[in-house]
Amino acid sequence: MPWVECEHTLDKSRTRFIVRKPITSIGRATGNDLVLNDPAIEKSHASLLRQGGKLTLTQASRSGDLYVNGKRAKSASLNEGDTVQIGLYQLTIHLGDPAPEPEPASPEGLSLDILQRLVDLSAELMRDTEPQRIFDRLLSGLVELTNAEKGFLIVLQDGRRHLASSHNVDGETLDLSRVSDTIVDRVVEHLQPVIVSDALNDGRFGRAKSVVDLKLSSVMCVPMIYRSDLLGLIYLGNDKITDLFTERDLALLKVYAAQGALVIHHALLVNKLQVETRALRRQLRQASQGEMIGSSPPMKRVFKILKRASPTDLSVLVLGETGTGKELVAREVHRLSERKGQPFIAINCGAIPENLLESELFGHKKGSFTGANTDKVGKVEAANKGTLFLDEIGEMPTQLQVKLLRVLQERVIERVGDLTPRPVDIRLVAATNKNLPELIRDGTFREDLYYRLNELVVELPALRDRGEDIAVLGHYFLNKYREQYGGAAKGFTNQALLAMNHYAWPGNVRELENRVKKAVIMSDRALLNADDLGLIGTDKRHVRGLDDAAEQFKLDYIRQVLELNNWNKAQTARDLDVDPRTIFRYIEKMTDIPEG
């Protein structure tokens, strides 16, 4: 009967698969007959048709690439000894009956000794629930069994790598400087173990900076996975001996990794449940300002501005992308001011038709236009003694900008159809996601109003620039909607947190809230994964290279100094202590240079 020898090209592990069915499905999903665990492989990748002793391979997905004997193919008849490359797997075709698999040739005493050590170590791990002791005992046992020189246990928490334990690393602090990040990256990306016999001469890793700097020789690294969630990695190495680790060592390490993942998962879960509520509440208290949550440097700067400026009566202009929380800033300005007991009135200038916006803002007199059956108090007048929040101020028509300017200058309003001035005492907070200086240059926004509005400017950062705030906000929304709607979700998998950190968040905090809310309602998992959040297959946000970023900074900074010097190139060169030719070279890269 035909059979397939399946070899993983990285860890060199091999398995046999006998082709018994007329049609054999091949892919990453668990429902396939031949499951190949590689993220690069499609869920349903290919099918194998058996007719008598003949085999035909057919592509099942448009994006599921197949390579038969090194050549790309959509369909191919297979002969004895043909090779098929699918992702990280190489399938070798055999049309005859498979020979019996040889028994492993290892001394019986050594096998029994290893099994006894595994049983003893597992028993020790099960008796303890303190994570640090589990980590230390697991790692020391593995180093002893494999004759490794040193070992590291890396745990993933909140989408970041933490060195939880190290063994035989005298005088070293607990950091990741002694670990090859290139090898670790490979294991994290493919969720497959890696064994390296001679790292410096290995074609996959030999040129990696971390391998060269650390002068690595023998390395083994395996993932610890619990229910498809990557909890961490076990990393063993010996810098003095090449070819130290064998496939037997790797198989043993995989057994320990599976056992360790199970024990560590439950230990961390117990520990997490004991401290989660207390720690989360403390973290939220420390990382919040009113209803706003954040502990990243950009948000700390925002909170500092609010605390200092809110007690004054300065007009505030809030800038930021859609969904960053501009109305929350306005409400916090009101809450921290002496007007907090008075009305807070909000209006979106972009959500109301132009012909109705004037009446909404300033009110109208009975009979002033068709449909004006009664006198109406406008939003400005309703906010008297309190705070008026004008969202999307950049959408306000020019003729209304004139009336708003008069309110700010003279502190009076006139209702539509009424010439009687009415005094008002308001504090104005305006917000926009537009570039107001550009609107001024285009003639759609008044410059005098702009300077009245931005007595104080608060710039809200985009969510993608807020680092650890993403995870904090994610947990906050998860707990909020779990209490509101119920559900099984208690946290996020490490893959979900990594996906959240890598996603660009074009809709900012509002988008994060909506994705978490939907996931809490729809998922029955205890830990939400990236698929629950709809982040599978989304593009990673663009990260600019360091050289490119430095060049862009120079370009922007030279432009600023040129503007300060009214585009005097010679003076700018003197201020920056550079050759004038440097200034001219950067000017050539600028696309919007003023005329003259």
Side-chain angles (χ1 to χ4, degrees), residues 216-237:
L216 301 181
S217 293
S218 298
V219 176
M220 279 196 302
C221 186
V222 299
M224 292 189 295
I225 301 174
Y226 179 80
R227 291 184 178 178
S228 76
D229 184 29
L230 181 62
L231 298 182
L233 307 100
I234 299 173
Y235 180 106
L236 303 180

Side-chain angles (χ1 to χ4, degrees), residues 41 48 135 205 221 238 301 361 368 401 439 445 452 454 507 517 540 553 588 593:
I41 295 176
L48 197 60
F135 297 159
F205 308 111
C221 186
N238 191 308
R301 288 193 291 270
L361 281 172
S368 58
Q401 295 177 28
L439 297 183
F445 200 85
R452 280 286 183 176
N454 77 338
K517 180 180 179 180
K540 292 176 65 174
F553 172 80
E588 290 176 356
I593 305 171

Side-chain angles (χ1 to χ4, degrees), residues 101-114:
E101 294 192 55
E103 295 292 330
S106 58
E108 184 179 354
L110 180 60
S111 298
L112 291 175
D113 179 57
I114 289 175

Side-chain angles (χ1 to χ4, degrees), residues 514-571:
N514 290 341
R515 286 183 182 271
V516 173
K517 180 180 179 180
K518 178 182 177 182
V520 168
I521 295 173
M522 301 302 295
S523 177
D524 57 359
R525 296 187 177 98
L527 295 177
L528 299 178
N529 61 25
D531 191 29
D532 294 318
L533 296 169
L535 297 180
I536 292 292
T538 54
D539 293 333
K540 292 176 65 174
R541 64 183 181 188
H542 174 69
V543 177
R544 177 175 287 175
L546 186 59
D547 291 341
D548 188 24
E551 188 70 9
Q552 185 62 45
F553 172 80
K554 292 179 181 177
L555 185 66
D556 294 339
Y557 190 65
I558 289 173
R559 178 191 296 276
Q560 293 178 27
V561 180
L562 280 166
E563 291 176 350
L564 286 174
N565 291 323
N566 198 25
W567 288 81
N568 185 315
K569 287 83 169 175
Q571 183 60 46

